[in-house]
Amino acid sequence: MATIIVQPGGPRAGHQRIDLTAIAHNRLMLLLLMFMGITAIVICRLLWVGIFAHGASGDDALSGFLPARADIVDRNGVPLARTMDAYSIAVRPSKLIGEPAEIARKLHEIFPDEPQAAFYKKLTGRGWAYLRRRALPEEVAAVNALGEIGIEFPREKERLYPQRTLAAHVLGFAPNAERQGGMGVEAAFNDRLTDPAQRGRPFALSIDSRVQGALESELYAQLVQTRAKGAGGIIMDANTGEIIAMASLPVFDPNKLQNYAGKRCSESPLCNHMVQARYELGSSFKPLSIAAAMDAGVVTSMSKRYDATAPLPIGGFRIKDDHPLGRWINVPEILVHSSNIGTARIADEMGAAPLQKLFRSLDFDQRAPIEFHERAAGLWPSSWGRITSMTTSYGHGIAITPLHLAAAYAALVNGGIWRPATVRKLDPDAVPEGRRVFSAATSARMRQLLRMIVAAGTGRSADAKGFRVGGKTGSAEKPQEGRYNKTSLVTTFASAFPMDNPRYVVVAIMDEATGQYGLRTAAWTAAPVVKRVVERVGPMLGVMPDEQRDVDISDLMPLLHGDKEKE
């Protein structure tokens, strides 16, 4: 009998299992390599896009980690505006479980500056609404403790102004960090602030926050003391055009914007009166007009006299002096005693053309010379007859912004070079060349005359001891319904210091100040502000008081009538 032996299938099965394991392992390794390869490709592509897509630098690769809007700092690096992750508090009325009236009451206790009725209106509204923007962490914790599931706490990019109202009109505001700025620096330099290549670097302003604080403080104190409607001031570098401080009162807090839509500039706290409001600035024009006459060859001697014995009749009107001297007066006396009659006679002798040329060279017919979008142009006379030339010479019949005046005075004292104002911190090699509007000799003589006005004239209350302040007062009636309101004055003191080597221009303006004992003119309302401001900010700006130094006015003092009588 034959025997058939069949080989067992066990070994074949074991061998088969070993092959399947190897295949699975190989496939797993292949997938892993493919995954690593794809990941490497993605990483390389991201690096390529981040580094080379804009053809600039590797900084763009980090743009996603930069703030949506660059910080704004003052000239010394003090933060004035920042973009931060901030808490907001919002409500979904449909999800509230508590009584809206009770929740509104508790919210008012946490935020006493917001009326309870305003909270109740939002809590009972139809849709999602903000209860608070830019809430502090402790405020968020207090609201969260109410236990309301209908109240939410979204984190948002917010534009914060850590100095609150300080330099608010200069900074402006940005309603949202990613959007166009609303006014001021935020609007004027929006492209720079949102540029991905630059927003990682703070934007430095020419503003000095210490000086800004002092200016705002002194203006506010004077506003309260004189019960003025408004006030403003400018401190400018006389040689570069940089704005060191600019204030307009009343102020606003850019962290707590309200809706002022539809209000005129004169009625809105958002209005920067230093660049948006136009005033007839009165006698502060007189030094400019006399300087024009000097350059035109009309005033060739300081001792030349002009008839001020009586009001000057012209075209059915009479030009009068507030404090008539009733005699013939020379050029220093015209400025020291602020004579409208004397200035008008000089302008009449000079004619319209030189005065128009000067005013145009100072941009009085253009918008205020600064980067802001919100800026006004001067109100230029429609015709330049004989009357216009005479009245504009002492600041009536032409209206400009205070910034126009500050830039003009910088040119008047710095050797004769006009430069536009700027809120950017300038490197020494970036200072604009400017244009000559006064001769150097005329500028030197005007420094003497302006110092003389403060030493012996209407500007005595601005005489900060040791700082050699020079300047001119200006008191002008405000036009109203086609005529001048004699009870409504805008008072100005335009000045510079130290007058032996002018470095800074200081302009102070008071709007409808009532003054004390009925003394409402610039000598009593605006000039004292300049004195206190200079005393405070001079050392901050590196100008130390020195009573051993001064402008030499010894050749002019004998020309004053009182001094001549004593000789």
Side-chain angles (χ1 to χ4, degrees), residues 26-39:
N26 291 336
R27 289 176 177 175
L28 183 61
M29 292 299 296
L30 180 61
L31 289 173
L32 180 60
L33 290 173
M34 291 175 62
F35 176 77
M36 292 175 63
I38 292 172
T39 302

Side-chain angles (χ1 to χ4, degrees), residues 491-514:
T491 56
T492 307
F493 191 77
S495 65
F497 79 99
M499 199 52 73
D500 53 328
N501 181 24
R503 291 180 57 187
Y504 298 99
V505 168
V506 184
V507 174
I509 290 185
M510 305 299 297
D511 187 0
E512 296 187 20
T514 59

Side-chain angles (χ1 to χ4, degrees), residues 182-252:
M183 61 176 279
V185 169
E186 293 280 26
F189 298 97
N190 187 74
D191 292 344
R192 158 64 177 85
L193 295 170
T194 58
D195 183 357
Q198 302 186 71
R199 66 179 190 235
R201 298 190 297 273
F203 181 49
L205 302 185
S206 58
I207 297 295
D208 187 319
S209 57
R210 304 167 303 166
V211 177
Q212 180 74 31
L215 177 63
E216 291 185 11
S217 172
E218 294 299 341
L219 284 170
Y220 181 75
Q222 190 73 348
L223 181 143
V224 172
Q225 182 177 345
T226 62
R227 299 182 295 280
K229 178 181 178 181
I234 297 170
I235 300 178
M236 173 190 285
D237 189 310
N239 299 300
T240 67
E242 291 172 286
I243 298 296
I244 308 301
M246 177 186 289
S248 178
L249 304 182
V251 297
F252 70 97

Side-chain angles (χ1 to χ4, degrees), residues 27-94:
R27 289 176 177 175
L28 183 61
M29 292 299 296
L30 180 61
L31 289 173
L32 180 60
L33 290 173
M34 291 175 62
F35 176 77
M36 292 175 63
I38 292 172
T39 302
I41 291 173
V42 171
I43 292 174
C44 290
R45 179 58 180 167
L46 289 174
L47 289 174
W48 177 271
V49 171
I51 297 174
F52 301 107
H54 300 290
S57 68
D59 292 343
D60 290 329
L62 301 176
S63 62
F65 301 97
L66 297 177
R69 199 174 189 86
D71 288 354
I72 300 174
V73 299
D74 81 342
R75 65 186 305 109
N76 300 311
V78 176
L80 300 176
R82 281 183 165 175
T83 299
M84 303 174 66
D85 284 331
Y87 281 105
S88 293
I89 303 174
V91 62
R92 294 187 186 274
S94 61

Side-chain angles (χ1 to χ4, degrees), residues 351-424:
L355 202 57
Q356 282 192 69
K357 180 181 177 182
L358 172 66
F359 290 168
R360 290 188 188 278
S361 70
L362 295 172
D363 270 16
F364 285 1
D365 60 337
Q366 304 294 322
R367 297 172 72 192
I370 200 168
E371 297 95 343
F372 297 151
H373 294 166
E374 62 286 353
R375 52 199 176 102
L379 286 176
W380 192 257
S382 57
S383 64
W384 278 82
R386 185 184 178 201
I387 296 178
T388 301
S389 295
M390 296 171 76
T391 58
T392 56
S393 71
Y394 58 87
H396 285 266
I398 184 172
I400 59 173
T401 70
L403 183 64
H404 281 105
L405 186 67
Y409 265 68
L412 188 64
V413 302
N414 69 8
I417 305 299
W418 182 91
R419 295 181 178 88
T422 181
V423 289
R424 301 191 67 163

Side-chain angles (χ1 to χ4, degrees), residues 273 275-281 376-380 399-402 404 479:
H273 292 84
V275 297
Q276 290 179 266
R278 298 170 293 197
Y279 305 99
E280 293 187 10
L281 293 174
L379 286 176
W380 192 257
I400 59 173
T401 70
H404 281 105

